[in-house]
Amino acid sequence: KFQENSVETTCTVESYTSRSCSYDCNCYTDSNNKRRCSTCYGTKYDYIATSDLCDGKSLTQKSDDSNGSCPQTPRSIGYSATCWVHCEEDIFSYSSPGELIGWSIFIIVLGGCCCCGGTGISCNRICCSDRY
């Protein structure tokens, strides 16, 4: 529904919360041509913003949008940027609806790879488990 009904506008950060996240770092390819990485930790941010288009109501960041990269740099209170809003559902996204659809397709394909028997077998050179 968000993809169909969101409208491009400007959002201004009203507040945010932080949460910890993990990501691959210090990656290298070993002598067996296998990718090896350490796990590093950082912070992600979930925002509450306002938009004049939604009569100044507080809008919650769409969960698909807040699950982006790790680590993130916080946007300061009062920061304004282009966003897409769905005023009836009180949500917004910094990603265009097209980007969200693209990420959804990527995640479904990657999930299919990871679930191919749960064996850690590489699917098209993407190995979803047995990383270490």
Side-chain angles (χ1 to χ4, degrees):
K1 193 171 182 178
F2 182 83
Q3 284 83 1
E4 298 167 5
N5 298 316
S6 62
V7 178
E8 184 176 348
T9 186
T10 299
C11 290
T12 302
V13 173
E14 188 176 81
S15 66
Y16 62 85
T17 57
S18 61
R19 58 190 164 112
S20 61
C21 57
S22 62
Y23 59 99
D24 288 345
C25 61
N26 305 316
C27 297
Y28 65 95
T29 303
D30 69 12
S31 59
N32 295 321
N33 207 24
K34 190 170 185 176
R35 185 172 184 253
R36 302 220 179 247
C37 299
S38 298
T39 299
C40 290
Y41 299 91
T43 306
K44 288 181 158 188
Y45 300 89
D46 299 306
Y47 296 94
I48 302 292
T50 58
S51 169
D52 290 340
L53 191 65
C54 299
D55 298 323
K57 286 193 298 186
S58 293
L59 307 170
T60 304
Q61 187 175 15
K62 187 163 171 39
S63 62
D64 296 353
D65 195 35
S66 63
N67 287 331
S69 64
C70 175
Q72 296 175 342
T73 301
R75 295 175 169 151
S76 59
I77 305 300
Y79 172 84
S80 293
T82 299
C83 66
W84 286 260
V85 298
H86 189 304
C87 297
E88 291 174 13
E89 295 198 5
D90 299 334
I91 56 175
F92 80 98
S93 175
Y94 286 118
S95 301
S96 71
E99 288 178 76
L100 292 172
I101 291 169
W103 275 111
S104 297
I105 292 169
F106 173 76
I107 289 168
I108 290 168
V109 169
L110 186 61
C113 169
C114 293
C115 295
C116 55
T119 60
I121 295 172
S122 178
C123 299
N124 294 332
R125 296 184 169 236
I126 299 174
C127 185
C128 301
S129 62
D130 194 27
R131 292 185 346 204
Y132 301 97

